[in-house]
C-alpha cells in the first residue's frame, strides 16, 4: 500500500485537513499522527481487527497492550469501570497531557486492544492535531508509538515514514513532537497506585493527588532482573534501540570523558565506526570523529525532546559503537535515563572517581 503523507498547518487547523484521515480510521485503517509526547500509530480502539493491523504494521508482540487516546475526559466512563475518585482528580489536573491511566476495562474494549488484559490504558493528549483527529473521528483511538517494534520512538513524521511506509494508510505531519518522550503510565487498577513508566510528569508532580505514589520496582531496576515481574508488558521488551551497540557511562564528568575516549580509540583502531552522545557542556572533551551534542544539562527539556532523534541519527550514519554520557540530573532525569538505559539494553559502565572511589 502507498502511505499518504499529509502536512498539517498548525497555525490554521481546518476540519477538511482531517477528512481523509477520519475516513481511513472509520473504515478500520491506520493513521499515524503527532501527539505532544511522540507520534502515535492510530486505529479504532473498539475494533479488534484495526488493533490487529497496528500490531502487524509495527511488528509488535501481541501481548503488549495499546494506549487508548480520547478527546474528552468523560470518555473514561465509556471505556473503564470501577473508576476511583483519584482518576477524576488526575484528569482534572493533568488532562489533556502526558499522563496515561490504567483502569479496569469495560467489555466494549476488545482483548485485541489490551493484549488480553482485563485493564485498559487511557490518555487524553493535549496536542491540537491529535485532539482534532480524535474528536473529528468520533472514535477512541488506540495508538502505540509509531515506530517499528524495538526501535526508538518517532518524534517527527520523517521517522514514521522510515519505519512504517508501505504498512499504513496515512501519516499526518504536524512537525516535531514537543516533549519527545512517551507519557507517564500510572496503574490505578490495583490496591495501590504505581508508576509503570516514568515520563514528562514525574512522581513528584503526581504526589499532589496521590501522596503515597511509588514507582513499580521494575521501573527503577537497572537490569532486566528475572525476579522483578514487569506489570506493563511493554517493560519486558528490548526497546528504543539503535542498530549500533550503545553503552552508557556513569561517573564524574572528567573521568567519564577519559574512559569514553579510551574505549572509542580502541574500537576505532579495530576499524569500527564510533560515535559519542554528550551534553553540550562536555562535547568538546571527545576526540571521536562523530560527537553529537544533545543539549545543555541545564535544559533537560531539550535533551528529552532530542533523544530519540539523536538515537535514530546514529543508524543513518551506520555507527557500530555508541558511547553515551548519562543524564540523570534533573526533573526529567528518571524518564530520560529509563529510555537511554533500555536503548542500551542496560549496558552501563560505572567509571570510578579520580581519587579511586
Ligand atoms: P507505547 O504506546 O508504544 O508507548 O506502549 C504503550 C505502553 O503502555 C506499553 O509499555 C504497554 O505495556 C503499556 N500498557 C498499555 N496498556 C496497559 C495495561 N492495560 N496494563 C499495563 N500496561 C499497559
Ligand atoms: Mg512504544
Amino acid at each position: 500500500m502507498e502511505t499518504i503523507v499529509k502536512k498539517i498547518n498548525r497555525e490554521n487547523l481546518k476540519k477538511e485537513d482531517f477528512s481523509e484521515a477520519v475516513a481511513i480510521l472509520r473504515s478500520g485503517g491506520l493513521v499515524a499522527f503527532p501527539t505532544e509526547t511522540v507520534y502515535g500509530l492510530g486505529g479504532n480502539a473498539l475494533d479488534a481487527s484495526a488493533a490487529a493491523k497496528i500490531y502487524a504494521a509495527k511488528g509488535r508482540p501481541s501481548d503488549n497492550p495499546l494506549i487508548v487516546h480520547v478527546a474528552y475526559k468523560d470518555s473514561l466512563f465509556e471505556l473503564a469501570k470501577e473508576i476511583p475518585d483519584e482518576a477524576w482528580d488526575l484528569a482534572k489536573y493533568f488532562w489533556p497531557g502526558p499522563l496515561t491511566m490504567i483502569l479496569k476495562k469495560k467489555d466494549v474494549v476488545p482483548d485485541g486492544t489490551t493484549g488480553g488484559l482485563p485493564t485498559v490504558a487511557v490518555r487524553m493528549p493535549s496536542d491540537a492535531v491529535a485532539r482534532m483527529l480524535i474528536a473529528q473521528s468520533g472514535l477512541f483511538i488506540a495508538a502505540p508509538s509509531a515506530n517499528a517494534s524495538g526501535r526508538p520512538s518517532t518524534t517527527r513524521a520523517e521517522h514514521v515514514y522510515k519505519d512504517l511506509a508501505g504498512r499504513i494508510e496515512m501519516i499526518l505531519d504536524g512537525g516535531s513532537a514537543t516533549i519527545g518522550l512517551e507519557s507517564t503510565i500510572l496503574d490505578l487498577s490495583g490496591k495501590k497506585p504505581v508508576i509503570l513508566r516514568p515520563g514528562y510528569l514525574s512522581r513528584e508532580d503526581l504526589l499532589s493527588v496521590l501522596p503515597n505514589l511509588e514507582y513499580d520496582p521494575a521501573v527503577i531496576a537497572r537490569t532486566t532482573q528475572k525476579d522483578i515481574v514487569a506489570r506493563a508488558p511493554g517493560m519486558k521488551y528490548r526497546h528504543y534501540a539503535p542498530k549500533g551497540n550503545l553503552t552508557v557511562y556513569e561517573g564524574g564528568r572528567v573521568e567519564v570523558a577519559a574512559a569514553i575516549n579510551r574505549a572509542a580509540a580502541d574500537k576505532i583502531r579495530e576499524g569500527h565506526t564510533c560515535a559519542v552522545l554528550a551534553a553540550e557542556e562536555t562535547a568538546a572533551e571527545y576526540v571521536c570523529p562523530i560527537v553529537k551534542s544533545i543539549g545543555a544539562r541545564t535544559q533537560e527539556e531539550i535533551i528529552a525532546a532530542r533523544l530519540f532523534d539523536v538515537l535514530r541519527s546514529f543508524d543513518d550514519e551506520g555507527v557500530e559503537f555508541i558511547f553515551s554520557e548519562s543524564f540523570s540530573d534533573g526533573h526529567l532525569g528518571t524518564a530520560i535515563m529509563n529510555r537511554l538505559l533500555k536503548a542500551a539494553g542496560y549496558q552501563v559502565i560505572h567509571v570510578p572517581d579520580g581519587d579511586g572511589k
Side-chain angles (χ1 to χ4, degrees):
M1 105 181 42
E2 199 188 328
T3 301
I4 305 161
V5 180
K6 168 123 187 107
K7 273 213 184 305
I8 301 287
N9 177 8
R10 286 184 178 275
E11 307 301 308
N12 182 19
L13 290 180
K14 291 200 212 83
K15 206 173 155 187
E16 306 87 80
D17 293 340
F18 294 85
S19 48
E20 210 175 339
V22 162
I24 291 167
L25 290 170
R26 286 198 188 145
S27 64
L30 306 185
V31 176
F33 60 97
T35 82
E36 72 278 23
T37 58
V38 297
Y39 271 69
L41 175 57
N44 180 356
L46 302 191
D47 172 358
S49 72
K53 285 186 198 164
I54 293 177
Y55 286 99
K58 286 188 54 128
R60 183 176 175 107
S62 62
D63 65 345
N64 190 2
L66 311 175
I67 295 175
V68 180
H69 291 67
V70 299
Y72 311 101
K73 293 177 191 173
D74 58 12
S75 300
L76 268 185
F77 281 123
E78 291 174 67
L79 297 164
K81 60 186 184 189
E82 298 171 39
I83 304 170
D85 291 343
E86 289 87 352
W88 296 113
D89 290 342
L90 289 161
K92 185 168 145 204
Y93 291 114
F94 299 107
W95 275 6
L99 176 69
T100 296
M101 291 193 253
I102 294 177
L103 296 158
K104 296 203 174 103
K105 82 171 184 77
K106 279 195 169 160
D107 291 343
V108 284
V109 185
D111 285 343
T113 296
T114 66
L117 292 175
T119 50
V120 61
V122 188
R123 177 167 105 83
M124 177 178 172
S126 63
D127 182 282
V129 174
R131 289 180 69 182
M132 188 119 166
L133 177 70
I134 303 164
Q136 296 290 325
S137 73
L139 302 169
F140 304 124
I141 303 293
S145 51
N147 51 282
S149 187
R151 303 259 303 124
S153 299
T154 49
T155 53
R156 293 193 281 124
E158 294 84 350
H159 299 158
V160 182
Y161 194 83
K162 205 158 224 170
D163 276 21
L164 301 175
R167 296 165 162 260
I168 62 177
E169 280 82 355
M170 185 177 242
I171 301 170
L172 294 183
D173 180 354
S176 296
T178 48
I179 292 177
L181 297 178
E182 305 85 340
S183 60
T184 305
I185 301 184
L186 192 56
D187 187 353
L188 295 169
S189 69
K191 283 207 186 77
K192 254 179 44 182
V194 282
I195 296 174
L196 299 185
R197 178 173 74 188
Y200 185 79
L201 291 172
S202 68
R203 176 175 165 268
E204 291 67 33
D205 291 327
L206 301 170
L207 285 178
S208 56
V209 178
L210 300 169
N212 298 317
L213 182 62
E214 298 290 349
Y215 286 109
D216 186 271
V219 170
I220 33 186
R222 285 301 189 95
T223 59
T224 45
Q225 285 167 28
K226 299 250 175 355
D227 53 335
I228 297 180
V229 180
R231 286 175 58 181
M235 287 173 169
K236 71 183 183 214
Y237 296 109
R238 179 144 192 253
H239 246 94
Y240 315 120
K243 292 183 185 128
N245 180 304
L246 168 63
T247 308
V248 178
Y249 284 68
E250 289 188 324
R253 309 263 154 98
V254 176
E255 290 83 358
V256 162
I260 288 181
N261 277 333
R262 273 196 305 275
D266 287 347
K267 290 294 174 199
I268 291 168
R269 213 173 300 119
E270 290 166 17
H272 296 293
T273 316
C274 295
V276 176
L277 175 54
E280 197 175 290
E281 293 87 343
T282 35
E285 308 286 322
Y286 297 96
V287 286
C288 205
I290 305 174
V291 180
K292 306 244 173 194
S293 162
I294 192 170
R297 286 182 185 276
T298 47
Q299 290 183 295
E300 56 171 4
E301 247 91 10
I302 294 179
I303 296 179
R306 294 199 56 214
L307 181 64
F308 290 133
D309 190 42
V310 172
L311 288 176
R312 283 177 168 267
S313 72
F314 292 125
D315 292 351
D316 299 337
E317 295 173 55
V319 175
E320 293 168 277
F321 288 90
I322 306 156
F323 304 96
S324 178
E325 296 181 349
S326 66
F327 304 93
S328 51
D329 315 62
H331 179 83
L332 288 178
T334 310
I336 293 170
M337 287 309 288
N338 172 269
R339 308 309 190 271
L340 188 61
L341 290 172
K342 281 180 175 236
Y346 296 97
Q347 203 164 230
V348 183
I349 292 191
H350 301 275
V351 185
D353 284 350
D355 60 5
K357 274 190 287 190

